């Protein structure tokens, strides 16, 4: 932590998703590796840990297209903690698929991770009756408060029984959310549903430990919330009237962004858009519950695609490109006003306001005093009015990044840009010490007048694009990079950053 002036403190943070933490398991998660990471941040005076959505992923590993937006990702559940707490035996631990995992530098076997999570759920259910009364009471008290849990478990189990087909391809009574049929299914499959309940309860317990530790050590947990939810999700399946989708799964309207310099046809995302009038009738109850669920888990929440809270690009459900879409208004002012009434004047939100943002979107952001984002990799195009140039970042309520999870690593970006752009970076770099491109941008970012500077861990480690976390518009080789260990290189990087 440094000071930008006599009164304003500047904080630093690191962007790293839990899957990328070092672990002997198939991927990182909520176990000792996460607690050690929080301690390392605190020891080095690094005040924020930012990560991607903690919800389950789609088949490509993306946490931005989740089958269940209120649930936590079962991959994160740490089996060693379960053994320590008496919920799992060492014998059952050894039987789990993927227990011997040689490649700790990549995580790309998402199918194996799902199989392992299912087997873990079975093991927890088999030992459940032998657990003491205190555990049962704690579980039941927690379960009664999770309004979303039953739909989540039903959705995931019926989906599994139907070979992971989307819900609109299930047998009609299931696809149509026939409550009488579902009640019978709940009774007949109570053991399988219990497995989903137990997985989520243990995830809650493990994340709670991390949350308490982070609070104790003054490390801010910085989460992420996609604006849209997936069409093939429990959220849409169980709350169909709130989304632009028919009972057979066909889309009335779908999401995307309009044509621009990068794409003459725009981007077609394929999520159902919101039926805002239905949400208004309930005073945005679903949205209030959605935010409440997130605020249980994090201290600060980034809203992905924030501009859609002002207006969204509305595309006909049958269109194959985004060209014929049009802007439709969203009730962001009403939603955030309700949040302010509930959580106080300072709502713990940050706006992803990248790209072409109109004045009315900026007014919505500023009305609720939300910090926006500034990306240094976007700054050096030669335009003196570029809002990402360090000298143009004059708003303390800004969060500055070298790049995000969707960008190249800074060293990878350096290999892609021309010599004129590189020269403009050199001109902004004030240190006399020789530095890599990544550390030049880190130095520039730390010198800005923003309240918070975030670097992806890959930049601190001076990595090129082999460590890139996601390339938008592609479905393979994403979400896979991870660190091998908290080794000397990493420890030195954290020390230098602090």
């Amino acid at each position: 932590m440094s000071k930008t002036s006599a009164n304003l403190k500047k904080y630093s943070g690191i962007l790293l998703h839990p899957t990328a933490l070092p672990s002997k398991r198939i991927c990182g998660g909520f176990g000792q590796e996460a607690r050690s990471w929080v301690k390392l941040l605190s020891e080095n005076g690094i005040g924020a840990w930012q990560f991607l959505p903690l919800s389950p992923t789609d088949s490509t590993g993306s946490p931005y297209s989740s089958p269940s937006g209120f649930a936590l990702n079962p991959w994160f559940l740490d089996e060693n903690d379960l053994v320590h707490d008496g919920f799992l035996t060492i014998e059952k631990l050894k039987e789990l698929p993927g227990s011997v995992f040689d490649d700790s530098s990549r995580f790309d076997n998402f199918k194996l991770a799902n199989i392992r999570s299912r087997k873990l759920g079975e093991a927890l259910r088999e030992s459940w009756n032998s657990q003491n009364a205190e555990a049962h009471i704690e579980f039941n008290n927690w379960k009664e408060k999770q309004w979303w849990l039953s739909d989540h478990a039903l959705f995931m189990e019926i989906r599994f029984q139907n070979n992971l087909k989307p819900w609109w391809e299930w047998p009609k009574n299931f696809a149509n959310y026939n409550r009488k049929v579902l009640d019978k299914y709940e009774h007949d499959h109570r053991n399988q549903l219990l497995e989903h309940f137990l997985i989520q309860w243990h995830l809650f317990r493990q994340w709670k430990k991390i949350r308490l530790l982070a609070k104790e050590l003054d490390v801010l947990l910085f989460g992420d919330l996609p604006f849209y939810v997936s069409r093939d999700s429990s959220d849409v399946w169980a709350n169909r009237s709130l989304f632009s989708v028919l009972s057979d799964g066909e889309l009335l309207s779908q999401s995307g962004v309009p044509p621009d310099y990068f794409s003459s046809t725009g981007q077609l995302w394929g999520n159902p858009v919101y039926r805002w009038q239905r949400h208004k009738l309930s005073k945005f109850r679903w949205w209030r519950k959605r935010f409440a669920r997130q605020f249980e888990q994090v201290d600060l929440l980034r809203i992905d695609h924030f501009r859609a809270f002002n207006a969204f690009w509305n595309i006909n459900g049958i269109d194959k490109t985004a060209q014929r879409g049009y802007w439709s208004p969203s009730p962001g002012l009403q939603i955030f006003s309700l949040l302010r009434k509930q959580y106080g004047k300072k709502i713990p939100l940050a706006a992803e306001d990248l790209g072409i943002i109109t004045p009315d979107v900026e007014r919505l952001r500023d009305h609720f005093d939300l910090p926006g984002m500034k990306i240094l990799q976007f700054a050096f195009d030669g335009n003196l009015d570029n809002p990402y140039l360090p000298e143009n970042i004059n708003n303390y309520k800004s969060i500055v990044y070298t790049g995000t999870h969707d960008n190249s690593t800074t060293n990878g970006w350096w290999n892609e840009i021309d010599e004129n752009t590189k020269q403009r970076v050199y001109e902004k770099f004030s240190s006399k010490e020789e530095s890599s491109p990544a550390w030049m941008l880190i130095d520039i970012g730390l010198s800005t007048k923003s309240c918070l500077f975030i670097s992806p861990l890959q930049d601190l480690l001076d990595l090129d694009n082999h460590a890139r976390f996601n390339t938008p518009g592609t479905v393979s080789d994403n979400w896979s990079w991870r660190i091998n260990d908290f080794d000397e290189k990493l420890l030195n990087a954290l020390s230098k950053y602090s």
Side-chain angles (χ1 to χ4, degrees), residues 1 39-46 491 494-498:
M1 178 174 62
K39 290 176 184 176
L40 281 173
L41 294 177
S42 177
E43 289 166 4
N44 288 279
I46 299 166
L491 298 178
L494 295 182
S495 178
K496 181 180 178 181
Y497 189 43
S498 68

Side-chain angles (χ1 to χ4, degrees), residues 179-189:
R179 195 62 254 181
K180 185 176 180 180
V181 172
L182 293 176
D183 287 343
K184 183 177 186 305
Y185 186 90
E186 280 186 304
H187 179 268
D188 294 345
H189 296 81

Side-chain angles (χ1 to χ4, degrees), residues 375-383 386 388-391 402 413-414 417-418 420-429 440-441 444:
I375 309 299
L376 293 177
Q377 288 184 18
F378 299 164
F380 303 100
D381 60 359
N383 178 6
N386 187 313
Y388 304 118
L389 273 173
E391 62 266 32
T402 52
W413 166 77
W414 190 261
I417 60 176
D418 59 32
N420 289 333
T421 305
K422 291 177 182 178
Q423 187 57 42
R424 287 190 283 268
V425 176
Y426 286 128
E427 291 170 2
K428 304 297 180 185
F429 182 55
M440 280 196 288
L441 251 59
I444 291 169

Side-chain angles (χ1 to χ4, degrees), residues 129-145:
N129 287 337
S130 65
Q131 300 300 321
N132 60 37
E134 185 179 349
H136 280 259
I137 291 170
E138 182 186 340
F139 168 74
N140 288 326
N141 288 340
W142 171 83
K143 181 172 174 284
E144 286 177 6
K145 298 173 184 176

